[in-house]
Amino acid sequence: MTVPLSILDLATIGKGQTAAESFAGSVAMAQLAEKLGYRRVWYAEHHNMSAIASSATSVLIAHIAAQTESIRLGAGGVMLPNHSPLTIAEQFGTLETLHPGRIDLGLGRAPGSDQNTLRALRRDPMSSDSFPQDVLELQGYLTGPTRIQGVEATPGKGTNVPLYILGSSLFGAKLAAQLGLPYAFASHFAPNALRDAVAVYRRDFQPSAQLDAPHVIAGVNVIAADSAAEAQEMFQATKRARVSLFFGNGREFSDDEADMILDSPQGQHVAQMMKYSAVGTPAAVLEYLDGFTAHADADELIVAHQSTGTGARLRSVQLLADVAGLVRV
């Protein structure tokens, strides 16, 4: 690989699995990623999704950081409009204080949930409008000076936790460029604006105290397996799981039912979401990722290993590291 590889761990709760088992799998993945030479592992804030266990993102990061030694860990991301900037500064200031030099803070402005869950979170539907101001307020708590007179984050002040702007549209690209922050594009599930957003970010980037040149992280799905047939089987199982997640309303579809939905116009949306997916043998996956890196004009790839079982995901992590020639730093 010509660029570093990182991991987006979706903390998936598989069929018949518990959240505790999902967390054990996340610990195993981070420990393996650290051993193999991946740059970082991120966890995303989602709510009211029965198949995703990373809703309390900072707590999960703390748990995994305590069981690893050197790999960077962070949020990819915290949905900032769900929280006060001070609270997030205190949480991630605590993490950085406990685990110096290892914590990242990616920020998004989406709710990470549906409208009913938004109400349950006590979130103002208009709160995303203040996202740029909230990012600056949060940055002030971590790096100084504070933007709210007389209010400091403890822990947090002076920790300089690096911020990343997450997005899937031109809005995030423009904001990251204006603030001089790294930009992570969610092309692993929202691929359509990838190239336009990266072009805008690179064109408009203004250097900052945190970053002197643009840095683009692009998301991509990966299923590496010992055979192409095995990888394709897991890819189909992953798409079936997404059908149940998005359309099931708590119900698990049979394989035949899920396949029928995938073949429908409604189901084609699931396939489109996974447009950028490297699926196959390690050599085929590496070839795809090399091409995707150039296509996305990326400085770093963050891969979501999408196999449905923990063992298969760990195998994918290992196979990609081996073929990419990763080395633990």
Side-chain angles (χ1 to χ4, degrees):
M1 287 298 301
T2 57
V3 298
L5 290 178
S6 298
I7 291 176
L8 177 64
D9 181 359
L10 300 175
T12 303
I13 303 174
K15 192 172 183 179
Q17 194 178 43
T18 65
E21 290 168 331
S22 170
F23 293 147
S26 289
V27 170
M29 180 179 288
Q31 290 173 335
L32 181 60
E34 180 175 80
K35 174 183 175 183
L36 295 174
Y38 285 86
R39 173 169 285 191
R40 67 184 97 240
V41 184
W42 280 359
Y43 309 90
E45 177 186 345
H46 294 279
H47 299 281
N48 194 32
M49 292 189 177
S50 61
I52 298 177
S54 52
S55 54
T57 312
S58 59
V59 179
L60 180 57
I61 293 169
H63 175 65
I64 293 173
Q67 299 184 71
T68 51
E69 297 177 358
S70 59
I71 194 167
R72 297 194 68 88
L73 301 167
V78 162
M79 300 299 105
L80 189 54
N82 292 342
H83 313 275
S84 76
L86 178 60
T87 297
I88 297 303
E90 291 168 342
Q91 290 177 4
F92 280 80
T94 298
L95 288 169
E96 175 64 22
T97 302
L98 292 170
H99 308 283
R102 296 182 56 200
I103 302 301
D104 300 327
L105 177 49
L107 301 169
R109 68 178 182 128
S113 58
D114 55 37
Q115 293 300 309
N116 285 337
T117 308
L118 184 152
R119 287 192 287 273
L121 288 166
R122 301 298 190 268
R123 172 180 161 168
D124 181 345
M126 303 304 293
S127 57
S128 61
D129 293 347
S130 63
F131 180 67
Q133 292 76 27
D134 289 345
V135 171
L136 289 172
E137 182 183 335
L138 173 57
Q139 187 177 52
Y141 292 134
L142 295 171
T143 65
T146 179
R147 290 175 175 262
I148 307 297
Q149 186 175 1
V151 179
E152 304 281 4
T154 306
K157 181 180 180 180
T159 55
N160 298 307
V161 176
L163 302 184
Y164 298 73
I165 299 298
L166 278 58
S168 58
S169 69
L170 300 187
F171 179 91
K174 292 176 180 177
L175 180 63
Q178 178 185 347
L179 299 181
L181 296 176
Y183 180 52
F185 192 90
S187 34
H188 63 292
F189 77 91
N192 291 340
L194 170 63
R195 286 167 62 86
D196 288 343
V198 171
V200 166
Y201 170 69
R202 291 195 179 278
R203 182 195 70 201
D204 295 347
F205 181 84
Q206 300 177 28
S208 68
Q210 179 178 324
L211 192 65
D212 60 4
H215 187 82
V216 172
I217 304 175
V220 59
N221 301 297
V222 167
I223 300 178
D226 294 293
S227 72
E230 182 185 1
Q232 288 296 332
E233 183 179 335
M234 287 190 283
F235 190 40
Q236 186 68 13
T238 298
K239 289 187 285 188
R240 289 168 178 160
R242 289 206 173 190
V243 166
S244 293
L245 179 64
F246 293 129
F247 304 122
N249 293 319
R251 174 192 168 194
E252 286 283 342
F253 292 112
S254 69
D255 289 351
D256 288 342
E257 290 172 329
D259 288 344
M260 287 179 61
I261 295 172
L262 284 169
D263 288 337
S264 70
Q266 189 179 28
Q268 289 303 303
H269 177 63
V270 173
Q272 174 62 21
M273 289 174 67
M274 302 192 73
K275 173 181 177 180
Y276 294 126
S277 296
V279 180
T281 62
V285 166
L286 182 62
E287 181 180 6
Y288 182 97
L289 294 181
D290 278 337
F292 176 74
T293 300
H295 175 79
D297 195 13
D299 301 297
E300 179 179 343
L301 298 185
I302 188 160
V303 301
H305 290 276
Q306 290 284 5
S307 308
T308 52
T310 300
R313 282 195 295 277
L314 295 177
R315 180 63 175 160
S316 184
V317 168
Q318 177 79 58
L319 290 173
L320 176 55
D322 289 346
V323 75
L326 297 188
V327 178
R328 181 172 179 175
V329 179

